[in-house]
Amino acid sequence: MTREGLNLNLDSGRKLQIPASVSVVASGSALDLLSESVEREGADHLSIHELDIDADIPAEIVLGAEILVVEIDPTIPQSMDRIRFIRQLRPSLPIVVGLRDAKVANVRVLLRQGVEDIASVPLQLDEMLDSAANAYGSGAVENEPEVELAPLIAVVKSRGGEGATTLVTHLASEMGEWAQTDRGVCVIDLDIQAGSVTSYLGVTPRRSLEDLLEAGHRLDRSVLNSIVTERKDGISIIAAPFEIHPLEAIDTDQLARVIELARREYDFVLIDLPANWTNWNLSTLLDASQIVMVVELEISSLRQAKRWLELFNTVSVNASKVSIVVNRVEKKLFGSISLRDVKDALKRDVLAGLPNEGTKITTAQDQGLLFSEIQGKSKFSAEVSKLAEILYNRISKEHA
């Protein structure tokens, strides 16, 4: 059934149009001002349901709503359960929550649960309908057409300081050469406690991954585009959170939605993962097209890499997708460990050995530049270029 929606001339002189009906569920005290305005203005497509703040919402109200405004008290578990109930019935229904005390912590919790917008209580017609309009515009679209997801390349490290971020930033530049469209490459910095992708690439983000994780059900292309920082060479970056958070604080499901959305928008998505392992980053690896583990030619590095590879096996990470890149390789006449030794010890292909360039790469990164931008041709850049080609061919073979 097609609805005309709401068309109101408000007391303030503003005209407001919402191409959908609005259903309101709130307590009597929250509805006093709203009811007075509705009686005065008239609103054929605004339905009001008075319910105690901890009362269950009848399913027929949720099923019949196009936009739902619902009063919540975060201190009452039964009241908070309303959001979960609504999302179970209508995963894509635009929701506005009415709050008496819109503390930042409360708002964040609600946004993570899929709420589109917040309105103050007692509900006032102008503000509530503005929020309803925002919710309708940013709500998830049901029956979104299927889009083939871009390849996801995960760069991990056997331990901190192996150079994984150096690799992921340079690899992103090289993968751009293999892009089949103009959508480009996106790097997501998932090293949430020590991320430095933006610093290495010389960009200053205004927003970060944290904003996407808190977007809840509002997460869509426009939200993603507002968070991403684009470098002059076209590399897009989703920055690590600005503040340090516990690793376990990441919402696994919401992170999966962020990564999936990025894969819909770009030709390639690369992720830089922390050295510590949690359920959410192991879960992320299960969806990766290719996984590159960075190690060094040191016994301690290889031992730790072997431990991680054994962990990957226990959580069913596809071993055929995991390869090794050895960083800071030095040509020594009597080297104690060779690239072949690494392959034999870890039982994984060694795709590249990146030469040790001393302090040159660090100097470039201090300026927010890639090594190729100050050095031009080099053995390091040639190895990264070769690695990009190998990964592209592997991914293409999988999709053939």
Side-chain angles (χ1 to χ4, degrees):
M1 180 172 66
T2 302
R3 294 182 181 269
E4 296 177 3
L6 279 163
N7 295 276
L8 295 176
N9 294 312
L10 301 174
D11 284 344
S12 60
R14 295 172 53 231
K15 292 184 178 181
L16 192 146
Q17 294 181 322
I18 306 175
S21 63
V22 178
S23 300
V24 182
V25 176
S27 62
S29 61
L31 291 171
D32 287 343
L33 295 176
L34 180 65
S35 298
E36 292 176 6
S37 297
V38 169
E39 287 180 8
R40 183 171 59 253
E41 302 284 355
D44 294 337
H45 295 286
L46 177 63
S47 58
I48 297 177
H49 308 272
E50 183 176 334
L51 287 174
D52 290 339
I53 200 166
D54 58 350
D56 293 338
I57 300 176
E60 56 267 26
I61 294 177
V62 178
L63 294 173
E66 292 183 322
I67 303 171
L68 183 60
V69 179
V70 56
E71 184 186 7
I72 296 292
D73 185 339
T75 66
I76 302 175
Q78 298 96 316
S79 184
M80 288 295 290
D81 284 343
R82 288 177 163 185
I83 303 300
R84 186 160 41 252
F85 173 71
I86 295 166
R87 280 289 166 242
Q88 287 174 347
L89 284 181
R90 298 283 302 280
S92 299
L93 176 66
I95 301 175
V96 174
V97 160
L99 286 179
R100 288 189 183 274
D101 186 1
K103 292 180 179 178
V104 173
N106 293 336
V107 171
R108 285 182 173 179
V109 169
L110 290 165
L111 292 177
R112 286 172 179 166
Q113 293 191 13
V115 171
E116 272 73 40
D117 212 334
I118 305 294
S120 60
V121 171
L123 296 170
Q124 300 182 55
L125 188 62
D126 288 40
E127 181 198 359
M128 187 197 74
L129 292 182
D130 275 339
S131 295
N134 291 336
Y136 187 82
S138 63
V141 179
E142 295 186 26
N143 302 318
E144 184 177 342
E146 286 295 321
V147 176
E148 184 176 357
L149 298 181
L152 176 65
I153 300 173
V155 178
V156 301
K157 48 215 168 200
S158 63
R159 60 184 184 179
E162 301 283 32
T165 304
T166 295
L167 176 60
V168 78
T169 50
H170 287 80
L171 184 59
S173 178
E174 293 295 337
M175 293 306 302
E177 300 297 320
W178 295 95
Q180 300 299 299
T181 72
D182 60 356
R183 295 187 300 168
V185 177
C186 179
V187 179
I188 306 177
D189 194 344
L190 294 186
D191 193 350
I192 66 168
Q193 293 183 330
S196 53
V197 169
T198 55
S199 173
Y200 284 12
L201 290 177
V203 297
T204 304
R206 293 183 296 107
R207 304 175 74 183
S208 74
L209 174 67
E210 184 174 10
D211 296 282
L212 295 174
L213 295 175
E214 292 180 352
H217 198 65
R218 296 180 301 115
L219 182 67
D220 60 12
R221 176 184 297 174
S222 62
V223 173
L224 179 72
N225 290 338
S226 71
I227 303 300
V228 165
T229 303
E230 186 171 338
R231 198 170 186 261
K232 60 183 180 181
D233 59 359
I235 298 175
S236 296
I237 305 107
I238 298 175
F242 302 144
E243 298 179 358
I244 293 178
H245 296 279
L247 288 173
E248 63 273 14
I250 297 295
D251 183 325
T252 302
D253 292 336
Q254 181 70 0
L255 177 60
R257 288 190 283 270
V258 170
I259 294 173
E260 180 178 338
L261 179 59
R263 295 178 72 182
R264 292 178 181 276
E265 296 299 314
Y266 295 92
D267 285 306
F268 295 100
V269 176
L270 287 77
I271 54 176
D272 187 13
L273 288 162
N276 296 315
W277 292 95
T278 64
N279 289 334
W280 59 264
N281 53 23
L282 289 171
S283 177
T284 300
L285 292 182
L286 293 173
D287 293 328
S289 308
Q290 290 289 310
I291 302 166
V292 177
M293 174 168 281
V294 183
V295 303
E296 291 191 56
L297 295 179
E298 297 178 4
I299 296 296
S300 59
S301 176
L302 299 181
R303 283 177 176 168
Q304 189 67 7
K306 191 169 184 178
R307 293 177 66 199
W308 291 134
L309 294 173
E310 290 170 352
L311 175 62
F312 294 172
N313 287 336
T314 64
V315 296
S316 302
V317 173
N318 190 335
S320 67
K321 295 182 178 181
V322 184
S323 303
I324 305 298
V325 167
V326 182
N327 194 25
R328 302 187 183 102
V329 175
E330 296 187 34
K331 288 190 175 181
K332 295 181 180 179
L333 185 60
F334 301 105
S336 58
I337 305 175
S338 68
L339 298 186
R340 179 172 292 277
D341 292 332
V342 174
K343 178 180 179 180
D344 293 342
L346 301 181
K347 296 179 173 56
R348 297 291 189 280
D349 290 338
V350 176
L351 300 190
L354 306 179
N356 189 348
E357 297 287 353
T359 61
K360 295 178 183 178
I361 292 179
T362 302
T363 300
Q365 290 169 337
D366 287 344
Q367 301 174 54
L369 298 172
L370 297 170
F371 185 50
S372 58
E373 291 173 322
I374 65 169
Q375 181 72 18
K377 293 183 179 180
S378 67
K379 291 182 179 180
F380 178 88
S381 297
E383 280 293 302
V384 176
S385 178
K386 182 180 74 172
L387 173 62
E389 182 176 4
I390 293 171
L391 292 174
Y392 175 77
N393 288 336
R394 287 190 168 195
I395 291 167
S396 298
K397 187 177 180 180
E398 282 186 13
H399 289 81

